[in-house]
């Protein structure tokens, strides 16, 4: 069974008008890393997950989950 970490990075970026490149620069990672995270192709380290949560000023559980997030529509 593969370990999957689901996330809401794309939703938060869209809500706040932040590009992948801008988020990557703020976090000190390559912009492609943000794409990999959003598509679920890469799970963040705990450190990176905490940095992302801090950047958006939300709890890490708001962005990341081991269960899929419910659909909004």
């Amino acid at each position: 069974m593969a370990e999957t970490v689901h996330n809401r990075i794309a939703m938060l970026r869209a809500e706040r008008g932040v590009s992948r490149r801008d988020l990557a620069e703020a976090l000190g990672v390559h912009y492609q890393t943000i794409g990999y995270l959003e598509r679920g192709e890469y799970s963040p380290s705990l450190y990176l997950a905490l940095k992302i949560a801090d950047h958006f000023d939300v709890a890490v559980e708001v962005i990341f989950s081991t269960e899929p997030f419910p659909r909004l529509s």
Side-chain angles (χ1 to χ4, degrees):
M1 181 166 111
E3 294 180 7
T4 302
V5 176
H6 303 274
N7 71 76
R8 292 179 165 160
I9 298 170
M11 182 189 77
L12 284 166
R13 279 194 319 95
E15 283 180 353
R16 299 177 187 202
V18 177
S19 71
R20 283 183 180 164
R21 192 171 300 274
D22 289 342
L23 179 57
E25 287 177 11
L27 299 172
V29 299
H30 195 276
Y31 75 92
Q32 287 179 323
T33 300
I34 304 303
Y36 294 141
L37 288 168
E38 290 179 350
R39 292 188 300 274
E41 296 173 9
Y42 171 74
S43 293
S45 66
L46 176 57
Y47 180 75
L48 182 55
L50 291 169
K51 281 180 68 172
I52 293 168
D54 185 54
H55 178 81
F56 287 114
D57 196 28
V58 296
V60 72
E61 296 90 354
V62 170
I63 303 173
F64 299 99
S65 176
T66 57
E67 299 295 323
F69 288 101
R71 289 279 210 194
L72 296 177
S73 54

